[in-house]
Amino acid sequence: MTRSANGKIDRVVWAAVRESRPLTLCLTNFVTVTDCANAVLAVGGSPVMSLDVDDARELAAVSASAVLNIGTVCPDQLAAMLGAGRAARAAGRPVVLDPVGAGATRVRMDACMRILDEVGPSIVRGNASEILALEAHSARRGVSRQRGVDADGSEARSEIENAARSLSERFGCVVAVSGETDVLAHGQMLSALTGGSELLTRVTGTGCMLSAVVACCAGALPDKLFSAAVAAMNAMKLAGAGAESKLGVPGSVGEFRYRLCDELAEIVSS
Amino acid sequence: MTRSANGKIDRVVWAAVRESRPLTLCLTNFVTVTDCANAVLAVGGSPVMSLDVDDARELAAVSASAVLNIGTVCPDQLAAMLGAGRAARAAGRPVVLDPVGAGATRVRMDACMRILDEVGPSIVRGNASEILALEAHSARRGVSRQRGVDADGSEARSEIENAARSLSERFGCVVAVSGETDVLAHGQMLSALTGGSELLTRVTGTGCMLSAVVACCAGALPDKLFSAAVAAMNAMKLAGAGAESKLGVPGSVGEFRYRLCDELAEIVSS
Amino acid sequence: MTRSANGKIDRVVWAAVRESRPLTLCLTNFVTVTDCANAVLAVGGSPVMSLDVDDARELAAVSASAVLNIGTVCPDQLAAMLGAGRAARAAGRPVVLDPVGAGATRVRMDACMRILDEVGPSIVRGNASEILALEAHSARRGVSRQRGVDADGSEARSEIENAARSLSERFGCVVAVSGETDVLAHGQMLSALTGGSELLTRVTGTGCMLSAVVACCAGALPDKLFSAAVAAMNAMKLAGAGAESKLGVPGSVGEFRYRLCDELAEIVSS
């Protein structure tokens, strides 16, 4: 277990993002899509969104990476995700899966399983409830039920690490779990990130933004996916802490929300 | 006619919301969905959104309540609303209808009538133009035409009260009409709420946010729907007035918009 | 070539908008739809959105104008755009096309060509990469490829002017190209607008907002489309510059984003 504080590697990631300005294809839910676009812009990427299977497939072929976020998935969007996801992987581009509410409904779990099986994402980024649900389901150990799309908050750290490691081995991908402590696993590698802000859980979209930023970083450094994911997760923790510390009115979620992208922009350019 | 200023009942409602953190299923338009999510989070609920009929039905079965907002309804979304709405009602959960622009098109009126007839919402929350249009249409007195989705503003208070009462009796639901003065009707009960801010009409989404907050409160107190609706409407009026009073730049809609959720959070937790 | 600084004509446009409060039908992408609604409200119009072909057609018949923005177009939405666009034109109402990412995929170019051929928009508002791609494609000179939805930034001013003029002549419409210098062409008329803010390119949605505001102005002055477009483009440049100049934290995109609508409101009411 290493604690990540490797500023040097993070700087390599952000330099690569600045240099290549990765075109990041976001097939994402309609609740937080604006925030995802602004987060990718803030860190220096170029976001592009699509709802159409042919359009998404074309875009995947020219994008640096893609994020598939199932927060409001429906059959047409799943088709676009599978088509674009396969096109991206065929072109050697990283794909990030955000399994929003995977444990809440059969529809969501089925969508995740099809993406895991048919696309083979490079990175899975979710909260603890989602990762535990995915792990339990794919291990055929029954479904760990989730209430809505938010994390339960009661999961033990060791339980999260074991699930992340197991899921990473089963699907050969980086698994990145955000929470009070972030946990990242890839094969034998395991990292934990502390810090951040409790306010990140009090506005919608910070998890989705994080997945989009992870995809942006992965697009810039497709051969260093673990480092890319760590840098992105670390930046969001730092941005959350930075935004909270600068609030004129302590606890203001409205102010926090508009400061978050500014903090991201500052962190990645310094 | 009672004027609501019953701080005590409102506090009961918000205590119930804090205690149960109601999972609030929002089947809502794509214009203001982010704001709806943030409003539900601000008052202490847990929002979940969906675009898929099966997913929505599954979520309805485990949610505390649902809001059906027809602001950008299309056939697939209407199917999800009918399926999830019926599932919620079958499980004894309150359902809120927001008839956005009901008087503007036949498509919108038909969607509202199907939801009223096939789901039987517990609460209808709209502006005066929408409520008058619904009442006129369901009484087969012809359609009161509405221009777009905004209220006309010319309706007389007595006209609004009569329409709210009549609609409430016809469909056996609470009818909550927001405007310069809010009017709520349920059977023999009638309440009026004054206050608020004119700025609430100058940003998009405040009516949609209100309906989502009404649903959240109804989910926490399903046996006291009238009180739940009054508390929610009252909180939005207070939040509007509070946000306006704190603006650094008088009249700034941008600042008003980000302060609104903070005010909601403060009001419901005090 | 005239440089626009015609404050007098701009004031005529905004007076017409304030007087008629144009109902502006926005068939637009799901990434920036909230911002489009708030921009139309800020300048004094009344926005209405739709995803359904019948609903959109009904709304087009009573709206002052429509904007068709293909940023996340899919077959159902294209059908709504074609139906509503034709209904608007048949009723003599101006239609604005925003060809988001036209040069990035075949799907987007095909959608634009169908709208150009079957609807006949009154105004096309895009960035330089989009306008050059449309011009090259419609002249059957092959496709000028675009990376994602952002402008390339390398296009020469004369190249942009020639493309705008050529596209304007081919389709008999106003062509409005936003960029560091905005270029507007209609028949023999050519205008250029300087000023603005680089921050307009660092948040998502400012181009989409601009197209919605252009549509709002065109709805208020359907017989003076060139002046309407110039006034709208000019207002966005002034709002960008004004918002940037008032930032508490220089370069803050979060603050810029919420100030932009306030600046629009102030400019158009003065």
Side-chain angles (χ1 to χ4, degrees):
Chain A
M1 158 78 57
T2 59
R3 309 253 154 195
S4 165
N6 200 326
K8 194 177 155 196
I9 291 182
D10 287 13
R11 282 197 297 274
V12 169
V13 173
W14 297 116
V17 169
R18 278 195 301 276
E19 197 178 308
S20 63
R21 209 184 164 212
L23 186 63
T24 307
L25 175 61
C26 304
L27 305 185
T28 192
N29 71 70
F30 81 124
V31 186
T32 63
V33 58
T34 321
D35 296 323
C36 290
N38 280 316
V40 171
L41 284 169
V43 298
S46 176
V48 65
M49 277 67 176
S50 180
L51 289 174
D52 178 79
V53 59
D54 294 321
D55 188 60
R57 213 162 4 204
E58 276 189 81
L59 289 168
V62 296
S63 295
S65 62
V67 57
L68 314 180
N69 175 314
I70 64 145
T72 52
V73 76
C74 60
D76 283 353
Q77 198 188 31
L78 182 57
M81 287 179 180
L82 294 172
R86 281 190 294 246
R89 297 300 293 128
R93 309 278 158 64
V95 170
V96 176
L97 166 65
D98 187 332
V100 181
T105 69
R106 192 185 46 76
V107 168
R108 289 165 192 250
M109 184 56 79
D110 288 352
C112 289
M113 286 300 137
R114 287 199 63 188
I115 292 169
L116 284 165
D117 289 335
E118 300 176 30
V119 173
S122 326
I123 303 175
V124 177
R125 200 296 313 166
N127 64 35
S129 297
E130 289 154 357
I131 298 302
L132 290 176
L134 280 186
E135 206 285 317
H137 185 87
S138 58
R140 303 190 189 288
R141 290 193 285 96
V143 173
S144 155
R145 294 297 297 186
Q146 179 182 4
R147 181 176 171 276
V149 298
D150 295 317
D152 182 82
S154 68
E155 302 84 358
R157 166 81 169 278
S158 61
E159 195 186 4
I160 297 171
E161 289 180 357
N162 289 338
R165 232 197 267 263
S166 159
L167 206 59
S168 171
E169 280 166 22
R170 185 169 304 115
F171 294 102
C173 59
V174 176
V175 174
V177 194
S178 55
E180 203 180 309
T181 297
D182 290 354
V183 170
L184 293 102
H186 195 197
Q188 292 309 306
M189 287 183 286
L190 197 64
S191 261
L193 303 170
T194 54
S197 163
E198 189 266 336
L199 293 177
L200 287 166
T201 66
R202 290 188 32 218
V203 294
T204 197
T206 55
C208 304
M209 291 162 79
L210 177 53
S211 293
V213 171
V214 167
C216 178
C217 292
L221 271 184
D223 297 329
K224 295 192 171 159
L225 294 177
F226 193 75
S227 297
V230 167
M233 306 278 280
N234 212 19
M236 186 61 84
K237 279 213 168 293
L238 290 169
E244 184 173 357
S245 74
K246 291 180 185 169
L247 295 179
V249 180
S252 164
V253 291
E255 201 181 333
F256 181 79
R257 213 174 152 232
Y258 89 70
R259 286 193 187 279
L260 197 56
C261 280
D262 286 341
E263 289 298 307
L264 276 177
E266 200 177 309
I267 286 159
V268 307
S269 64
S270 61
Chain B
M1 157 78 58
T2 57
R3 309 252 155 194
S4 163
N6 200 325
K8 194 178 155 195
I9 291 183
D10 287 13
R11 280 198 296 273
V12 170
V13 173
W14 296 118
V17 169
R18 278 196 300 275
E19 198 178 307
S20 63
R21 209 186 164 211
L23 186 62
T24 307
L25 176 61
C26 304
L27 306 186
T28 192
N29 71 70
F30 80 123
V31 186
T32 63
V33 60
T34 321
D35 296 323
C36 290
N38 279 316
V40 171
L41 284 168
V43 297
S46 176
V48 65
M49 277 68 176
S50 181
L51 290 174
D52 179 79
V53 59
D54 294 321
D55 187 60
R57 211 160 10 202
E58 276 190 80
L59 289 168
V62 296
S63 294
S65 62
V67 57
L68 313 180
N69 175 313
I70 63 144
T72 52
V73 76
C74 60
D76 284 353
Q77 198 190 30
L78 181 58
M81 287 181 180
L82 294 172
R86 282 189 295 246
R89 297 300 293 127
R93 308 280 157 63
V95 170
V96 176
L97 167 64
D98 187 332
V100 181
T105 68
R106 190 185 48 74
V107 168
R108 288 165 192 250
M109 184 57 79
D110 287 352
C112 289
M113 286 300 138
R114 287 199 63 186
I115 291 169
L116 284 166
D117 290 336
E118 300 177 30
V119 173
S122 326
I123 303 176
V124 177
R125 202 296 313 168
N127 64 35
S129 297
E130 288 154 358
I131 298 302
L132 290 176
L134 280 186
E135 207 285 316
H137 185 87
S138 58
R140 303 190 189 287
R141 292 192 286 97
V143 172
S144 155
R145 293 298 298 186
Q146 179 183 2
R147 180 175 171 277
V149 299
D150 295 316
D152 183 81
S154 69
E155 302 84 358
R157 167 78 170 277
S158 61
E159 194 185 6
I160 297 171
E161 288 180 359
N162 289 337
R165 232 196 267 263
S166 159
L167 206 59
S168 171
E169 280 166 22
R170 184 169 304 115
F171 293 102
C173 58
V174 177
V175 174
V177 194
S178 55
E180 203 180 310
T181 298
D182 289 355
V183 170
L184 292 103
H186 195 197
Q188 292 310 306
M189 287 182 286
L190 197 64
S191 261
L193 304 170
T194 54
S197 164
E198 189 265 338
L199 292 178
L200 287 166
T201 66
R202 290 190 31 220
V203 293
T204 197
T206 55
C208 304
M209 291 161 79
L210 177 53
S211 294
V213 171
V214 167
C216 179
C217 292
L221 272 184
D223 297 329
K224 297 193 170 157
L225 294 177
F226 193 73
S227 297
V230 168
M233 305 280 279
N234 212 19
M236 187 59 85
K237 278 214 170 293
L238 291 168
E244 185 174 357
S245 74
K246 291 181 185 168
L247 295 180
V249 180
S252 164
V253 291
E255 201 181 332
F256 180 79
R257 213 174 152 231
Y258 90 69
R259 285 192 187 280
L260 196 57
C261 280
D262 285 341
E263 289 298 307
L264 275 176
E266 199 177 308
I267 287 159
V268 306
S269 64
S270 62
Chain C
M1 157 76 57
T2 58
R3 307 254 156 193
S4 164
N6 200 325
K8 195 177 155 195
I9 291 183
D10 286 13
R11 281 197 296 273
V12 170
V13 174
W14 296 117
V17 169
R18 279 196 300 275
E19 198 179 306
S20 64
R21 208 184 165 211
L23 185 62
T24 307
L25 175 61
C26 304
L27 306 185
T28 192
N29 71 71
F30 81 124
V31 186
T32 63
V33 59
T34 321
D35 296 323
C36 290
N38 279 316
V40 171
L41 284 168
V43 298
S46 175
V48 64
M49 276 68 176
S50 180
L51 289 175
D52 178 80
V53 59
D54 294 321
D55 188 60
R57 212 160 10 203
E58 276 191 80
L59 289 169
V62 296
S63 294
S65 62
V67 58
L68 314 179
N69 174 314
I70 64 145
T72 51
V73 76
C74 60
D76 284 353
Q77 197 188 30
L78 181 57
M81 288 180 178
L82 294 173
R86 282 189 295 246
R89 297 300 293 128
R93 309 278 158 63
V95 170
V96 175
L97 167 64
D98 187 332
V100 181
T105 68
R106 191 186 47 74
V107 168
R108 289 165 192 251
M109 184 56 79
D110 287 352
C112 289
M113 286 299 137
R114 288 199 62 187
I115 291 168
L116 284 166
D117 290 336
E118 300 177 30
V119 173
S122 325
I123 303 176
V124 177
R125 200 297 311 166
N127 64 35
S129 297
E130 289 154 357
I131 298 301
L132 290 176
L134 281 186
E135 208 284 317
H137 186 87
S138 58
R140 303 189 190 289
R141 290 194 286 96
V143 172
S144 157
R145 294 297 298 186
Q146 179 183 3
R147 182 175 169 275
V149 299
D150 295 317
D152 183 80
S154 69
E155 302 85 357
R157 166 81 169 276
S158 61
E159 195 186 5
I160 297 170
E161 289 180 358
N162 289 338
R165 233 196 267 263
S166 159
L167 206 59
S168 171
E169 281 167 20
R170 184 170 304 116
F171 292 103
C173 59
V174 176
V175 174
V177 194
S178 54
E180 202 180 310
T181 298
D182 289 355
V183 170
L184 293 100
H186 195 199
Q188 291 309 306
M189 286 183 286
L190 197 64
S191 261
L193 304 169
T194 55
S197 164
E198 190 264 337
L199 292 177
L200 288 167
T201 65
R202 289 187 34 216
V203 294
T204 197
T206 55
C208 304
M209 292 162 79
L210 177 53
S211 293
V213 171
V214 167
C216 178
C217 292
L221 272 184
D223 297 329
K224 295 192 172 159
L225 295 177
F226 193 73
S227 297
V230 168
M233 305 278 280
N234 212 18
M236 187 59 85
K237 279 213 168 293
L238 290 168
E244 184 173 357
S245 75
K246 291 181 184 168
L247 295 179
V249 180
S252 165
V253 292
E255 202 181 333
F256 181 80
R257 215 176 149 228
Y258 89 72
R259 286 193 186 280
L260 196 58
C261 280
D262 285 341
E263 289 297 306
L264 275 177
E266 200 177 309
I267 286 159
V268 306
S269 63
S270 62

